Amino acid sequence: MGKFHDSIKPVHQAFIEKQHIFFVSTAPLSADGHINLSPKGLDCFRFLDENKVGYMDLISSGNETSAHTLENGRITIMFCSFEGAPLILRLYGKGHAVLPDTEEWARYAPRFTIYPSTRQLIVADIDLVQTSCGFGVPLFDYVGERDIHFDWAGKKGEAGLQDYMEEKNLVSLDGLPTDLGLAKDHQTP
Protein backbone atom coordinates (compact mmCIF):
# COMPACT_ATOMS: atom_id res chain seq x y z
CA MET A 1 0.00 0.00 0.00
CA GLY A 2 1.43 3.36 -1.04
CA LYS A 3 2.04 6.17 1.43
CA PHE A 4 1.84 9.83 0.47
CA HIS A 5 3.71 12.86 1.81
CA ASP A 6 3.57 16.56 0.95
CA SER A 7 7.34 17.05 1.16
CA ILE A 8 10.62 15.15 0.92
CA LYS A 9 11.35 13.85 4.42
CA PRO A 10 14.87 13.08 5.74
CA VAL A 11 14.20 9.33 5.41
CA HIS A 12 13.31 9.86 1.73
CA GLN A 13 16.45 11.90 1.14
CA ALA A 14 18.60 9.21 2.77
CA PHE A 15 17.05 6.54 0.51
CA ILE A 16 17.50 8.64 -2.64
CA GLU A 17 21.13 9.40 -1.84
CA LYS A 18 21.92 5.65 -1.85
CA GLN A 19 20.51 5.01 -5.33
CA HIS A 20 22.71 4.87 -8.44
CA ILE A 21 19.93 5.33 -10.98
CA PHE A 22 16.62 7.15 -11.21
CA PHE A 23 13.97 7.53 -13.88
CA VAL A 24 12.31 10.70 -15.16
CA SER A 25 8.93 10.66 -16.86
CA THR A 26 7.12 13.46 -18.68
CA ALA A 27 4.39 13.66 -21.30
CA PRO A 28 2.86 16.19 -23.66
CA LEU A 29 -0.76 17.24 -23.27
CA SER A 30 -1.74 15.72 -26.62
CA ALA A 31 -3.42 12.32 -26.36
CA ASP A 32 -1.38 11.29 -29.41
CA GLY A 33 1.90 12.55 -27.94
CA HIS A 34 4.67 10.26 -26.81
CA ILE A 35 5.30 9.68 -23.10
CA ASN A 36 8.98 9.94 -22.25
CA LEU A 37 10.75 7.82 -19.64
CA SER A 38 14.50 8.33 -19.21
CA PRO A 39 17.00 6.61 -16.91
CA LYS A 40 19.60 8.86 -15.27
CA GLY A 41 22.90 7.90 -13.68
CA LEU A 42 26.03 9.64 -12.39
CA ASP A 43 25.98 11.75 -9.27
CA CYS A 44 23.67 14.29 -10.88
CA PHE A 45 20.67 14.57 -8.51
CA ARG A 46 20.48 17.31 -5.87
CA PHE A 47 18.08 18.40 -3.13
CA LEU A 48 17.57 22.15 -3.41
CA ASP A 49 15.12 22.39 -0.46
CA GLU A 50 12.44 20.15 1.10
CA ASN A 51 10.19 20.55 -1.93
CA LYS A 52 12.66 21.37 -4.72
CA VAL A 53 15.05 19.01 -6.49
CA GLY A 54 17.15 19.15 -9.61
CA TYR A 55 19.42 17.11 -11.78
CA MET A 56 22.23 17.90 -14.20
CA ASP A 57 21.20 16.86 -17.70
CA LEU A 58 23.75 15.77 -20.30
CA ILE A 59 23.44 16.25 -24.06
CA SER A 60 21.68 13.25 -25.55
CA SER A 61 19.76 12.20 -28.64
CA GLY A 62 16.50 13.84 -27.57
CA ASN A 63 15.24 16.57 -25.26
CA GLU A 64 11.73 15.44 -24.43
CA THR A 65 11.83 16.45 -20.75
CA SER A 66 12.52 20.06 -21.69
CA ALA A 67 9.75 20.14 -24.31
CA HIS A 68 7.16 18.54 -22.03
CA THR A 69 7.93 20.63 -18.96
CA LEU A 70 7.94 23.75 -21.11
CA GLU A 71 4.47 22.84 -22.36
CA ASN A 72 2.85 21.69 -19.10
CA GLY A 73 5.42 21.35 -16.30
CA ARG A 74 4.40 17.82 -15.26
CA ILE A 75 7.25 15.58 -14.14
CA THR A 76 7.62 12.38 -12.15
CA ILE A 77 10.98 11.20 -10.83
CA MET A 78 11.20 7.61 -9.61
CA PHE A 79 13.83 5.88 -7.50
CA CYS A 80 13.73 2.18 -6.64
CA SER A 81 16.02 0.00 -4.60
CA PHE A 82 17.89 -2.71 -6.47
CA GLU A 83 19.69 -3.90 -3.31
CA GLY A 84 18.67 -4.21 0.31
CA ALA A 85 15.09 -3.63 1.42
CA PRO A 86 12.61 -3.10 -1.43
CA LEU A 87 11.17 0.37 -1.93
CA ILE A 88 9.87 2.57 -4.76
CA LEU A 89 9.80 6.33 -4.23
CA ARG A 90 8.16 8.75 -6.65
CA LEU A 91 8.46 12.53 -6.66
CA TYR A 92 5.59 14.29 -8.45
CA GLY A 93 5.75 17.94 -9.37
CA LYS A 94 6.23 20.73 -11.84
CA GLY A 95 9.58 21.04 -13.53
CA HIS A 96 11.43 23.26 -15.95
CA ALA A 97 14.77 23.42 -17.71
CA VAL A 98 17.43 25.86 -16.53
CA LEU A 99 19.82 26.90 -19.28
CA PRO A 100 23.39 28.18 -18.97
CA ASP A 101 23.85 31.95 -18.87
CA THR A 102 20.64 32.59 -16.90
CA GLU A 103 20.09 33.86 -13.36
CA GLU A 104 18.73 30.46 -12.30
CA TRP A 105 21.82 28.76 -13.73
CA ALA A 106 24.05 31.05 -11.67
CA ARG A 107 22.01 30.15 -8.57
CA TYR A 108 21.85 26.36 -9.03
CA ALA A 109 24.84 25.27 -11.16
CA PRO A 110 27.40 25.59 -8.32
CA ARG A 111 25.54 22.76 -6.54
CA PHE A 112 26.17 20.32 -9.42
CA THR A 113 29.12 18.86 -11.25
CA ILE A 114 29.01 20.60 -14.63
CA TYR A 115 30.68 18.89 -17.59
CA PRO A 116 31.49 20.27 -21.05
CA SER A 117 28.53 18.17 -22.27
CA THR A 118 26.03 19.45 -19.68
CA ARG A 119 23.15 20.90 -21.68
CA GLN A 120 20.84 22.08 -18.90
CA LEU A 121 19.59 21.52 -15.38
CA ILE A 122 16.09 20.22 -14.75
CA VAL A 123 14.59 21.72 -11.60
CA ALA A 124 11.29 20.52 -10.11
CA ASP A 125 9.01 21.79 -7.37
CA ILE A 126 7.70 18.66 -5.69
CA ASP A 127 4.12 18.65 -4.38
CA LEU A 128 3.67 14.93 -3.70
CA VAL A 129 5.99 12.14 -2.56
CA GLN A 130 4.80 8.54 -2.80
CA THR A 131 6.45 5.45 -1.40
CA SER A 132 5.37 1.90 -2.21
CA CYS A 133 6.63 -1.60 -1.51
CA GLY A 134 8.74 -2.45 -4.56
CA PHE A 135 8.46 -6.18 -3.83
CA GLY A 136 8.54 -6.97 -7.56
CA VAL A 137 11.75 -5.03 -8.28
CA PRO A 138 14.65 -7.47 -8.86
CA LEU A 139 17.98 -7.32 -7.09
CA PHE A 140 20.95 -6.01 -9.10
CA ASP A 141 24.57 -5.37 -8.25
CA TYR A 142 25.97 -1.92 -9.04
CA VAL A 143 29.20 -2.27 -11.02
CA GLY A 144 29.98 1.35 -11.89
CA GLU A 145 29.33 4.25 -14.24
CA ARG A 146 29.95 4.11 -17.98
CA ASP A 147 32.32 6.64 -19.52
CA ILE A 148 31.09 6.23 -23.11
CA HIS A 149 29.21 9.55 -23.06
CA PHE A 150 32.29 11.48 -21.99
CA ASP A 151 34.46 9.79 -24.63
CA TRP A 152 31.83 10.65 -27.27
CA ALA A 153 31.56 14.26 -26.06
CA GLY A 154 35.35 14.66 -25.98
CA LYS A 155 35.61 13.50 -29.60
CA LYS A 156 32.84 15.88 -30.69
CA GLY A 157 34.41 18.91 -29.01
CA GLU A 158 32.57 22.11 -28.15
CA ALA A 159 31.56 22.99 -31.73
CA GLY A 160 30.49 19.41 -32.45
CA LEU A 161 28.34 19.31 -29.32
CA GLN A 162 26.67 22.59 -30.30
CA ASP A 163 25.93 21.23 -33.78
CA TYR A 164 24.56 18.00 -32.28
CA MET A 165 22.21 19.93 -29.96
CA GLU A 166 21.00 22.04 -32.87
CA GLU A 167 20.25 18.89 -34.84
CA LYS A 168 18.71 16.75 -32.06
CA ASN A 169 17.65 18.90 -29.08
CA LEU A 170 15.56 21.85 -30.32
CA VAL A 171 12.19 20.08 -30.75
CA SER A 172 10.57 16.98 -29.28
CA LEU A 173 9.49 13.81 -31.08
CA ASP A 174 6.05 15.40 -31.40
CA GLY A 175 7.35 18.74 -32.71
CA LEU A 176 7.12 20.67 -29.44
CA PRO A 177 9.80 23.31 -28.87
CA THR A 178 12.39 22.81 -26.14
CA ASP A 179 13.90 25.52 -23.99
CA LEU A 180 17.07 25.27 -26.11
CA GLY A 181 14.98 25.71 -29.26
CA LEU A 182 13.26 28.81 -27.91
CA ALA A 183 16.55 30.27 -26.71
CA LYS A 184 18.05 29.73 -30.18
CA ASP A 185 15.01 31.40 -31.79
CA HIS A 186 15.53 34.46 -29.55
CA GLN A 187 19.25 34.85 -30.20
CA THR A 188 20.16 38.00 -32.00
CA PRO A 189 22.14 37.47 -35.24
Side-chain angles (χ1 to χ4, degrees):
M1 186 65 155
K3 294 181 182 177
F4 296 93
H5 308 271
D6 60 3
S7 65
I8 302 167
K9 308 298 185 199
V11 67
H12 302 144
Q13 184 170 343
F15 171 74
I16 289 169
E17 288 172 343
K18 292 179 184 174
Q19 306 315 308
H20 299 288
I21 187 172
F22 62 96
F23 302 86
V24 177
S25 185
T26 59
L29 293 175
S30 167
D32 296 329
H34 294 85
I35 296 168
N36 187 60
L37 177 61
S38 295
K40 304 294 179 187
L42 302 173
D43 178 27
C44 69
F45 190 85
R46 298 290 183 271
F47 297 93
L48 304 174
D49 71 32
E50 71 177 10
N51 284 84
K52 187 183 292 282
V53 298
Y55 67 90
M56 181 275 305
D57 189 47
L58 296 172
I59 296 169
S60 63
S61 60
N63 199 3
E64 302 303 297
T65 301
S66 173
H68 297 161
T69 58
L70 182 62
E71 183 193 44
N72 61 60
R74 298 177 304 169
I75 191 167
T76 301
I77 302 169
M78 184 186 80
F79 296 84
C80 53
S81 62
F82 292 107
E83 58 189 18
L87 182 67
I88 298 171
L89 186 146
R90 292 178 183 91
L91 304 174
Y92 298 94
K94 297 289 184 183
H96 66 279
V98 175
L99 300 181
D101 302 321
T102 64
E103 285 184 32
E104 263 192 304
W105 181 270
R107 183 176 343 135
Y108 294 128
R111 303 195 48 191
F112 296 86
T113 301
I114 303 299
Y115 299 97
S117 57
T118 298
R119 97 179 131 190
Q120 61 203 356
L121 303 174
I122 301 295
V123 172
D125 292 306
I126 303 303
D127 56 34
L128 183 65
V129 177
Q130 178 194 28
T131 58
S132 57
C133 68
F135 293 167
V137 177
L139 295 169
F140 284 98
D141 290 326
Y142 175 73
V143 176
E145 301 291 341
R146 300 174 196 244
D147 56 7
I148 297 168
H149 169 84
F150 299 108
D151 292 342
W152 169 84
K155 289 176 185 168
K156 285 235 174 254
E158 186 177 345
L161 290 172
Q162 285 298 106
D163 291 344
Y164 187 85
M165 285 194 302
E166 287 186 25
E167 179 186 345
K168 305 270 189 185
N169 291 175
L170 303 186
V171 296
S172 75
L173 289 171
D174 301 312
L176 296 172
T178 68
D179 292 87
L180 288 169
L182 290 182
K184 179 149 181 62
D185 287 347
H186 291 99
Q187 287 177 347
T188 53

